[in-house]
Amino acid sequence: MLTTAVLLAAAGCGPDPAPAETVPTLPAQAVTQLVSDLRRNDLAGYARHAVPPELHQRLEQAWSQGRTVWPLTELPLDDRFASFIAALAEQDAERKLVATYRRQFAGADTELQSAAKTLGLFASQYVRSEPGYSETERDHHAQLIEALSGWAQTAPLGDSQRAREAIPQLVSAARATGLAGPDGFAKAGMDRSLRRLGPFAERLKQVLGQYGLGLDAALDSVDASLAEQTGDTARVRVRYQLAGQPVDAYVLVERIDGRWYLSDVLRHARAEAEATSKPAPSATMAQRLAALAKVQARAPSAVPAKPAAAPAPAVPATVAGDQTGAAPGAVPGAATEGLKPVGAASPAAAEVRPEAAGKAAGARPAERALPEGKPAEARPSAVDGRTGAGAKPAAGEAKPAAAGKSFPAEAKPASRPAAKPTAATGEPPKPR
């Protein structure tokens, strides 16, 4: 009796004892039996009921050799499952994961909802194009993805309080599996690993329920009915509610040795048993989903770079009596540097409005270029190398300037004809 009690205690970490084994003699019973296993978190029972005994033994051997983790391969991103358990179970995981969540996801509901929408669209495209799925699987998975994506777009995934409560639960459940060590799944074997994962699956469903996703409620709502049967093959209609969305799909079943099995599950299981080595992490769906998640998580928080400063516009810049209205792009101090020789003038000071040309030409700093003995009011005029004094020109006129003078050579009014070179050919007027 004592030995029996010890053995029962050692196995107590698994799910509740399964009811008496029943053989599905009807096509729809193959579906309802597997649904019942999942509802009770009996992953080991699911593996026994999903395939014939001979195939189950081959899968057990392949699992122990590290070539497969079936039936976990039926899950999305199954090649990341072992690393997921290891990350949750590692030392100080709770603190690290909470810190990562606060840094990247806390309060980012809008960004996470946008990411969920994007991932849903990509997953749908992947399922439609992936050759490993049958037509019935494509239709069923497309409805699952639509329902889950819709849930994720409204779920409070950015709620820090929920995350602080959920992460410790998942960390403790992952550590309780004892599968986080190197090759932990292979060393434990298929049946023992699945038994240890039962409580983790239960806790995961509870955590998802806190975010509004009731997986047990979905399993309870499953209605399976025979659609058609031809000898040892049949088609079963499956209807249920997931995240408030109706799912209406069909699954193919087949009879082997008097027992019905899901055809797609059998096909996947046979492929896993025959695999010579465990495939490397998928470079298709897993990595693309992860990349999209990163992009979506970072994009909203990134501050868009300001466009580079545009060069000075071709239109004249506004100048009201001085150079302080320099065009955008002028460097600080361009207002005072605008009166330097043309070779050193800033680009923004090279163009002025027609009405400002006269004011700039008559600016006081030009008095420094006056020859000795000339009146202060007189303004120098460079004409073919000669210097003369003349009256202040009209506002709409602009004089040609020689190199080295303070008047830009290209400063011509855009809306008026070119200035007449009267000062260049006639005698310079006398100072007033």
Side-chain angles (χ1 to χ4, degrees):
M1 291 296 293
L2 179 60
T3 303
T4 302
V6 171
L7 292 176
L8 290 176
C13 61
D16 296 335
E21 290 284 343
T22 58
V23 177
T25 57
L26 298 175
Q29 291 177 350
V31 176
T32 56
Q33 186 177 49
L34 296 182
V35 169
S36 176
D37 292 333
L38 295 177
R39 177 63 179 85
R40 292 180 296 102
N41 308 303
D42 186 3
L43 304 184
Y46 177 96
R48 289 194 311 273
H49 299 149
V51 296
E54 179 272 335
L55 180 54
H56 185 275
Q57 293 177 1
R58 291 166 54 198
L59 288 165
E60 174 74 55
Q61 182 180 7
W63 184 302
S64 299
Q65 295 173 352
R67 294 188 285 116
T68 186
V69 290
W70 184 93
L72 301 180
T73 52
E74 299 295 316
L75 298 172
L77 305 182
D78 59 278
D79 49 9
R80 297 293 195 272
F81 194 82
S83 59
F84 174 59
I85 294 293
L88 287 171
E90 71 178 11
Q91 186 177 3
D92 205 20
E94 182 177 336
R95 183 190 63 80
K96 294 178 182 178
L97 293 173
V98 169
T100 300
Y101 176 87
R102 287 177 176 174
R103 184 173 62 254
Q104 297 185 1
F105 305 110
D109 293 277
T110 302
E111 293 83 353
L112 291 171
Q113 291 165 6
S114 176
K117 183 177 181 180
T118 301
L119 295 178
L121 293 174
F122 171 77
S124 297
Q125 294 174 357
Y126 176 85
V127 168
R128 286 196 297 267
S129 61
E130 174 60 32
Y133 293 116
S134 66
E135 289 304 318
T136 54
E137 283 181 306
R138 294 185 204 281
D139 176 66
H140 191 185
H141 288 8
Q143 295 183 62
L144 285 174
I145 292 168
E146 182 179 359
L148 293 175
S149 178
W151 160 76
Q153 292 178 54
T154 59
L157 302 179
D159 189 337
S160 298
Q161 181 61 34
R162 294 176 195 260
R164 286 196 297 269
E165 295 173 358
I167 290 175
Q169 296 181 56
L170 295 177
V171 166
S172 61
R175 288 172 178 166
T177 64
L179 300 173
D183 300 324
F185 284 77
K187 292 177 180 178
M190 182 173 74
D191 189 71
R192 185 180 298 178
S193 295
L194 293 177
R195 289 183 181 276
R196 291 181 179 181
L197 287 172
F200 179 82
E202 180 179 10
R203 184 56 58 90
L204 179 60
K205 288 195 292 186
Q206 292 173 357
V207 168
L208 292 175
Q210 297 172 7
Y211 285 88
L213 182 61
L215 294 181
D216 281 341
L219 293 170
D220 289 338
S221 68
V222 170
D223 176 40
S225 59
L226 178 64
E228 58 182 349
Q229 178 179 353
T230 305
D232 290 338
T233 62
R235 193 163 66 110
V236 176
R237 185 179 185 183
V238 182
R239 289 173 287 183
Y240 57 95
Q241 293 280 329
L242 177 61
Q245 296 293 324
V247 177
D248 190 347
Y250 291 88
V251 295
L252 302 179
V253 296
E254 57 189 81
R255 183 162 49 191
I256 301 176
D257 297 332
R259 183 166 185 159
W260 291 90
Y261 301 94
L262 272 65
S263 299
D264 288 324
V265 174
L266 277 177
R267 178 168 51 85
H268 297 319
R270 287 168 179 149
E272 291 295 323
E274 295 169 1
T276 57
S277 62
K278 185 177 179 180
S282 172
T284 54
M285 187 174 185
Q287 292 185 358
R288 291 181 183 178
L289 287 177
L292 280 174
K294 282 186 177 182
V295 170
Q296 290 292 333
R298 293 177 179 177
S301 61
V303 179
K306 295 183 178 180
V315 296
T318 302
V319 180
D322 55 21
Q323 299 280 351
T324 57
V331 295
T336 58
E337 294 177 1
L339 297 178
K340 291 180 180 180
V342 173
S346 65
E351 296 178 7
V352 295
R353 286 181 178 269
E355 61 269 23
K359 295 182 180 181
R364 184 174 300 274
E367 296 176 2
R368 292 195 298 268
L370 290 175
E372 293 184 4
K374 295 292 182 181
E377 299 86 334
R379 184 173 48 80
S381 174
V383 181
D384 296 334
R386 295 177 296 171
T387 303
K392 186 176 182 181
E397 297 177 351
K399 285 190 174 185
K405 298 299 179 180
S406 61
F407 308 103
E410 64 273 20
K412 294 184 180 180
S415 60
R416 296 183 181 275
K420 297 180 180 181
T422 54
T425 56
E427 292 294 329
K430 297 180 180 180
R432 289 179 296 174

